[in-house]
Amino acid sequence: MIITSEIISLKHLLTAESLSDQEVMGLIQRAQEFKQGAPSTLSQEQYFVSNLFFENSTRTHKSFEVAEKKLGIDVIEFDTKTSSVSKGESLYDTVLTMSAIGAHACVIRHWEEDYYNELIDSKTITTSIINGGDGSGNHPTQCLLDLLTIYEEYGDFENLDIAICGDLSHSRVANSNMKMLKRLGANLYFCGPTEWYNKKYEAYGTYLPIDDVVNQVDVMMMLRVQHERHDEDSIFVKEDYHKAYGLTVARAKEMKEGAIIMHPAPVNRDVELADELVESYQSRITQQMSNGVFMRMAILEAILHGKA
Ligand code: CP
């Protein structure tokens, strides 16, 4: 995959799949440049960004905040508990307000899938929308930082063998990653309980037991069991899940030499991933977190270029 040096300019970032391959590779290149200490190409203009998190977050929220500060952006503080959201203000009206008071972009995490459609359809809202996760829909910035992490490891996506394992149907990370990794040429495998598998994933990869793929793939991408999105947890017993579907220490020993473990985090330790594997030599989880800052700097720069 050839990386170009064109400056990327985006109006919004709603899904990863809306990006062209060239834009994806351009963002990966910019993130790598930021990681090596490159300065921003943004003008000296004052930029305002607001982070609107209607669902809890540690990594996405705080790494956006670090990225914004590194780029010299003024962050408009927002908290659902102290804002007029507590008086019944709708998402639309919150974003309308942010746009009216001068926010150039809003980073939004919301429980409702596709929440962004009414915002981008508005004739009055002019602020750019960066999707920080919509329900079980999409998580484009996580997808891009995952792509950066895989690219750093292997230098390409073509013909990489990647297993995405666990709570597939509730995972916006899985949804974004399967589409992009398939498009970029990776061979995908899906593992996990049949209850959380959907036949629509056949378009992207092959569904197999974890023991059939763990010694074959370059990347074991483990997913968090999303208890908060389950109607009831009848199928769930922590120890049983770990034994049947988790990446156990014994399974990790079967992985190919040089193969890596990824997880978007937070990790349910000893559920989808053994506690001692989280910071093991095979794990790239902390690298994913660090890469989040640099990828989000690249995304913010591209969005704010789009406002120029
Ligand atoms: N990976 C991820 O989105 O983590 P947070 O929910 O903490 O942002």
Side-chain angles (χ1 to χ4, degrees):
M1 182 71 64
I2 296 165
I3 286 190
T4 63
S5 57
E6 270 177 42
I7 291 178
I8 308 295
S9 179
L10 301 172
K11 168 69 180 156
H12 303 291
L13 177 60
L14 308 174
T15 66
E17 70 209 88
S18 64
L19 298 169
S20 66
D21 289 1
Q22 197 179 3
E23 285 169 333
V24 170
M25 297 313 295
L27 289 169
I28 289 175
Q29 173 168 315
R30 269 315 272 157
Q32 287 184 308
E33 287 168 3
F34 279 131
K35 198 169 179 175
Q36 287 154 16
S40 153
T41 59
L42 292 173
S43 69
Q44 293 305 303
E45 195 180 323
Q46 189 175 27
Y47 290 104
F48 293 102
V49 172
S50 193
N51 303 320
L52 311 178
F53 279 71
F54 293 84
E55 262 190 357
N56 292 344
S57 164
T58 304
R59 278 144 292 274
T60 311
H61 193 170
K62 295 303 153 189
S63 62
F64 259 114
E65 223 168 85
V66 174
E68 286 150 1
K69 287 177 180 167
K70 277 176 173 269
L71 289 172
I73 293 166
D74 287 310
V75 180
I76 306 171
E77 297 297 333
F78 176 84
D79 182 346
T80 54
K81 292 190 191 71
T82 54
S83 70
S84 287
V85 170
S86 64
K87 302 177 207 162
E89 181 177 81
S90 66
L91 171 66
Y92 183 92
D93 284 337
T94 303
V95 179
L96 180 67
T97 305
M98 290 298 170
S99 182
I101 67 174
H104 293 91
C106 291
V107 179
I108 305 177
R109 171 170 290 188
H110 202 276
W111 59 81
E112 194 182 321
E113 266 177 54
D114 303 333
Y115 68 79
Y116 41 76
N117 285 335
E118 65 165 351
L119 307 177
I120 61 167
D121 286 347
S122 166
K123 289 189 172 57
T124 323
I125 293 173
T126 56
T127 194
S128 290
I129 308 299
I130 302 174
N131 183 9
D134 59 302
S136 299
N138 288 277
H139 199 343
T141 69
Q142 178 73 43
C143 174
L144 287 163
L145 75 88
D146 288 348
L147 294 178
L148 167 62
T149 307
I150 295 169
Y151 190 81
E152 281 181 336
E153 195 73 31
Y154 297 107
D156 207 346
F157 303 100
E158 196 76 40
N159 288 324
L160 279 182
D161 293 312
I162 300 178
I164 306 181
C165 307
D167 194 351
L168 293 156
S169 59
H170 300 101
S171 173
R172 52 195 172 210
V173 178
N175 188 34
S176 292
N177 281 359
M178 71 176 77
K179 290 172 182 161
M180 290 311 292
L181 286 166
K182 166 83 177 165
R183 202 175 92 191
L184 292 167
N187 307 312
L188 297 187
Y189 301 91
F190 300 111
C191 312
T194 50
E195 292 87 338
W196 297 338
Y197 180 76
N198 189 310
K199 275 181 82 68
K200 70 182 178 191
Y201 307 144
E202 281 175 7
Y204 304 103
T206 311
Y207 183 47
L208 286 169
I210 190 167
D211 288 312
D212 289 7
V213 303
V214 71
N215 59 352
Q216 305 288 330
V217 298
D218 302 295
V219 181
M220 286 294 289
M221 187 178 283
M222 307 309 293
L223 301 172
R224 182 173 69 86
V225 176
Q226 305 210 4
H227 298 285
E228 74 276 21
R229 298 192 205 281
H230 301 166
D231 290 337
E232 32 93 3
D233 253 348
S234 56
I235 62 163
F236 197 81
V237 176
K238 178 178 164 175
E239 291 76 17
D240 291 352
Y241 185 90
H242 189 58
K243 204 168 154 203
Y245 308 109
L247 187 53
T248 60
V249 171
R251 286 191 177 114
K253 286 193 178 125
E254 299 295 313
M255 286 170 62
K256 288 197 313 192
E257 196 182 333
I260 61 169
I261 299 166
M262 296 178 67
H263 190 303
V267 177
N268 294 308
R269 291 176 185 245
D270 290 330
V271 180
E272 64 268 4
L273 182 61
D275 176 36
E276 59 202 277
L277 296 176
V278 174
E279 293 153 80
S280 69
Y281 73 96
Q282 291 162 301
S283 171
R284 295 295 177 273
I285 296 171
T286 52
Q287 189 179 325
Q288 287 173 269
M289 294 173 194
S290 315
N291 281 345
V293 171
F294 303 110
M295 179 49 79
R296 287 169 177 131
M297 288 174 77
I299 292 163
L300 285 161
E301 186 187 57
I303 291 282
L304 295 174
H305 273 308
K307 307 297 283 185

